[in-house]
Amino acid sequence: MGATLLWRALCVARPYVRCSVLVVSSNCGDVVLCLRWFQSFFRCGMVQRLATLRLAGRATRRFVAVGCLVVIGLLHATVLAMPADAERARNVVLIVVDDQGYEAGCYGNTVIQTPHLDRLAAEGTRFQYAFCTTSSCSASRSVILTGLQNHANGQYGHMHGYNNFHTRDFVQSLPVLLARAGYRTCSIGKFHVQPERIYHFETYANQGIMGGRYGRRMAENARRFIEQDDPRPFFLYFCTSDPHRSRDGFANNLKYPGMKPVAYDPAKIPVPHFLPDEPEVRAELAEYYQAVSRLDEGLGHLLRVIDETGHRDDTLVIYLSDNGIPFPGAKTTLYEPGMRLPLVIRSPEQKRRGVVSRAMVTWADITPTILDYCGAAGPKYALHGRSILPVLEQDDPEGWDEIYASHTFHEITMYYPMRVVRTRRFKLILNLAHPLPFPFASDLYRSKTWQGLLRREAKMFGSRTVAAYVHRPRYELYDLESDPHEVRNLANDARYAEVFDDLKRRLRAWQERTQDPWTVKYHYE
């Protein structure tokens, strides 16, 4: 009630004073702090400010003066009524890295060096069953920042160049919602969604970051943003371009001042099951590992900035990757290597640390989680995820044992819509355009890994045949307990008919619930 009266009074006064109004919602929901308005008002003095009113009559001047006094009284009363907890800032740092899989010490890789991610996991919660919903850069980031599946938000694929996919106009993204709730917002590094007005950040701090690979400079830019003389809480969106491929390998040939490169011996790299154990594959994996260690060093600089600026105890830190590693068999697919990814969350409010969670979560849950932490209102439409915070300290929470995914494009030339339902044990993939050969991302096709296979005319690509990888049936059903590599399709196995039918029903119901345009395929194909 007080907030509503306060806002109406300010709306009346605003046209008559030379100042700006900023609404900042607190965690108690009904309190509004008009910080900039009052800062501007009192900086010049009340009398001087009233003297600037461009009004013709004494009665109107008296009305505005009384109105301002009423506003001040309401503000004073509501601030005194705030719970002590609501006065504490609730800042957020969301770290999105580009194309990292489980290549991290905290995820069991004993070769790669990721000490800073490992420390973050020890101080927070590491998720063993976290999934992107679409294995493509732009589309996945749109899900992260909207809480909507990409088939609903319209960002079906890449935004850059001739791809030119856009998020739909009705969407209200996380940075816009947080700005409305009184947050100052900053993007550093890879953005890769459009239009900008839908995903608008107040600040873009990209000076000197070498395309998002120079983590030390990115952290320095973050420090300057965090240390601004601004009383509002902050939302920092920190996105590296590592370990994405560059035009020349993984950009390891460049110099990053103040950062120490970590090189790897290709002979010691563990080759994942979906890749062939060939010299060119090991060489590319060693380059990829170096890029992962570089981004981890940048993460260390960023975590140090959070500590040194005094925000360790009031900042939620979330670390995740947009999609699977940049190799055929992972990125752009909805097999496990393409969608099962690292997620680490450290909340200042956690009582338990070093939690290893079996909750099945997706990137559609990220926006609801951050809105929940910040006490910020969401959009009027329903989101497709839910807040993870209630189960952050639980090892195996009830009701978190099923996820869904939706992938349609990567590049515009790569139309291959897939929909997925995955439970603890089973995964069903619906390949909606299955008569088409599976398309290749341009950088993955050019990779030494795939070109080596073409040169050898190999029949096998890791644990799959090349034919099975390129030519897929309408449905793929896998028992992940007995077949974790997803090579034995059970869709036509009568012993699994009941499971198959159940998952098909669940998947279709989810598509209809989330307004997937591709449900038309059930009617005319």
Side-chain angles (χ1 to χ4, degrees), residues 82-282:
M82 287 172 65
D85 188 53
E87 295 177 8
R88 195 178 73 165
R90 285 172 173 261
N91 305 303
V92 178
V93 174
L94 174 57
I95 303 156
V96 180
V97 302
D98 203 349
D99 296 4
Q100 183 186 2
Y102 269 14
E103 292 71 35
C106 59
Y107 278 96
N109 189 307
T110 59
V111 173
I112 201 161
Q113 296 179 37
T114 54
H116 304 293
L117 180 56
D118 301 346
R119 176 168 67 87
L120 188 66
E123 296 169 349
T125 298
R126 173 172 62 84
F127 289 83
Q128 291 182 294
Y129 292 88
F131 303 86
C132 67
T133 63
T134 176
S135 194
S136 174
C137 308
S138 287
S140 185
R141 290 161 194 268
S142 76
V143 177
I144 292 167
L145 290 176
T146 68
L148 297 174
Q149 296 287 339
N150 74 97
H151 64 238
N153 70 37
Q155 189 81 53
Y156 303 126
H158 278 345
M159 54 78 67
H160 65 280
Y162 53 71
N163 303 287
N164 199 30
F165 286 105
H166 289 69
T167 297
R168 295 170 66 189
D169 284 341
F170 79 88
V171 173
Q172 298 175 49
S173 72
L174 179 62
V176 171
L177 292 168
L178 289 180
R180 188 179 301 163
Y183 276 72
R184 54 192 177 105
T185 61
C186 176
S187 168
I188 300 178
K190 189 166 183 175
F191 193 61
H192 218 220
V193 284
Q194 67 176 6
E196 192 276 339
R197 60 182 170 76
I198 295 290
Y199 296 95
H200 177 69
F201 285 82
E202 185 178 330
T203 301
Y204 296 90
N206 295 319
Q207 304 79 12
I209 65 173
M210 298 178 67
R213 297 182 188 270
Y214 188 12
R216 179 168 185 162
R217 178 59 189 271
M218 292 173 71
E220 290 170 0
N221 292 359
R223 182 190 296 275
R224 282 193 283 272
F225 166 71
I226 291 171
E227 290 182 338
Q228 287 174 356
D229 183 16
D230 193 319
R232 295 173 294 165
F234 63 81
F235 170 51
L236 173 62
Y237 184 52
F238 187 96
C239 301
T240 70
S241 293
D242 281 328
H244 194 289
R245 290 176 181 270
S246 71
R247 293 185 182 278
D248 182 14
F250 289 84
N252 297 327
N253 57 316
L254 303 177
K255 302 296 183 185
Y256 304 92
M259 298 185 71
K260 183 179 179 181
V262 180
Y264 290 89
D265 180 354
K268 296 179 180 178
I269 299 290
V271 179
H273 75 88
F274 58 90
L275 293 174
D277 191 350
E278 298 289 347
E280 67 272 11
V281 176
R282 286 184 169 276

Side-chain angles (χ1 to χ4, degrees), residues 294-322:
R294 179 170 59 247
L295 81 82
D296 186 76
E297 184 180 346
L299 172 64
H301 287 297
L302 176 62
L303 295 176
R304 192 174 305 115
V305 165
I306 294 170
D307 289 351
E308 291 175 355
T309 55
H311 288 292
R312 182 188 178 92
D313 295 331
D314 62 19
T315 300
L316 179 73
V317 179
I318 300 177
Y319 179 104
L320 57 85
S321 172
D322 59 350

Side-chain angles (χ1 to χ4, degrees), residues 15-64:
Y16 305 110
V17 293
R18 296 172 184 165
C19 60
S20 61
V21 177
L22 172 69
V23 180
V24 181
S25 300
S26 77
N27 292 319
C28 56
D30 194 37
V31 180
V32 178
L33 303 181
C34 302
L35 297 174
R36 280 188 179 170
W37 194 90
F38 283 102
Q39 184 181 35
S40 175
F41 191 88
F42 286 110
R43 183 181 291 129
C44 297
M46 184 181 297
V47 176
Q48 291 91 331
R49 189 53 84 181
L50 288 173
T52 66
L53 300 180
R54 298 176 179 176
L55 302 171
R58 182 180 300 173
T60 312
R61 286 196 297 272
R62 187 179 299 116
F63 168 77
V64 174

